[in-house]
Amino acid sequence: MLKRWTILTGMLLAALMLASTAYAHVTVNPAQSTQGSYEVFTVRVPSEQEGFTTKVEVRIEDGVEISRVEPKPGWIHEMESDANGKVTSVSWTAEGDGLAKTEFTEFRMQGRVGEETTSITWRAYQTYSDGSVAEWTGGEGSDMPASVTLVQPRPEGAGTDSHGHVIVPSDAESASGEKQAAPAASNWSIYLSIAALIIAIAALALALGRGRASK
């Protein structure tokens, strides 16, 4: 009976840990954009290991042009470019200790989405004070997924305002019936975590019921 309790307790703890870490990865918002639009991209960084997060680097792929970075008190940012002047990565390095395990922060950068881009994959590298690097570069459903911004086509006849925001003509909206709903961001890791938690709780309840019945 003790062995069974130990196994079930371990399953429950593992499920709880999985559920909590499913939210604790580097993400970039917005989750959806439009071709040709200018955006402020927000990089959200939670610190989840012992020690401190001291550096965060985000690689910039061809589907987006990053032009500016918002200054962040306590952090030094650096933009790396290729031979043509296109920004290929943006990094933030802590001037002090950095982010503790229970902390998070957000960094902001501005850029323009490509006219033919269908999605933007943000590969991020999170460096800790012990020298380890968490690479958020995996695919959907992986343990360490890269954040993805889905990009929808520019509506026919759409223009941009003085800030670069895409303006959809009212007739274009009525022709389509309604504005296109934003697709939900990938949440497979969260769903799996919740399912694991429910299974662990059910197994624990079943064991308790059998224990009472055997008395």
Side-chain angles (χ1 to χ4, degrees):
M1 185 66 182
L2 180 59
K3 184 177 180 180
R4 182 183 298 173
W5 269 99
T6 303
I7 295 174
L8 290 173
T9 302
M11 291 173 59
L12 183 57
L13 289 174
L16 289 171
M17 289 176 63
L18 183 59
S20 62
T21 56
Y23 296 92
H25 58 271
V26 175
T27 56
V28 180
N29 287 310
Q32 178 177 301
S33 184
T34 303
Q35 292 174 347
S37 64
Y38 288 83
E39 294 281 6
V40 173
F41 297 101
T42 301
V43 184
R44 179 172 296 175
V45 182
S47 197
E48 59 180 11
Q49 296 185 17
E50 297 298 335
F52 296 85
T53 293
T54 58
K55 181 179 179 180
V56 177
E57 179 185 3
V58 177
R59 303 283 173 84
I60 312 301
E61 61 179 40
D62 291 338
V64 61
E65 300 280 346
I66 297 298
S67 55
R68 294 177 178 83
V69 178
E70 182 181 65
K72 180 79 172 180
W75 296 79
I76 299 173
H77 67 263
E78 181 178 0
M79 304 168 70
E80 294 186 5
S81 304
D82 60 18
N84 297 319
K86 181 190 182 302
V87 175
T88 55
S89 75
V90 180
S91 62
W92 295 265
T93 303
E95 294 182 293
D97 290 336
L99 297 175
K101 184 177 181 179
T102 57
E103 298 176 335
F104 80 96
T105 194
E106 293 181 337
F107 305 103
R108 286 159 42 108
M109 53 190 181
Q110 186 181 52
R112 183 176 183 274
V113 180
E115 293 287 351
E116 299 181 357
T117 301
T118 56
S119 67
I120 305 169
T121 299
W122 307 96
R123 294 176 175 83
Y125 301 82
Q126 183 175 8
T127 302
Y128 286 88
S129 53
D130 62 359
S132 62
V133 179
E135 300 185 3
W136 302 101
T137 59
E140 179 180 334
S142 66
D143 292 337
M144 302 184 70
S147 186
V148 176
T149 296
L150 301 178
V151 181
Q152 62 184 6
R154 180 196 290 262
E156 185 177 354
T160 55
D161 61 17
S162 59
H163 300 287
H165 299 129
V166 175
I167 302 174
V168 180
S170 57
D171 56 346
E173 291 182 10
S174 59
S176 62
E178 58 183 9
K179 293 182 179 179
Q180 182 176 356
S186 174
N187 287 320
W188 279 109
S189 59
I190 298 175
Y191 299 152
L192 291 174
S193 300
I194 295 174
L197 180 59
I198 293 173
I199 292 172
I201 293 174
L204 182 59
L206 181 61
L208 289 173
R210 289 178 176 176
R212 294 193 187 98
S214 62
K215 292 183 179 180

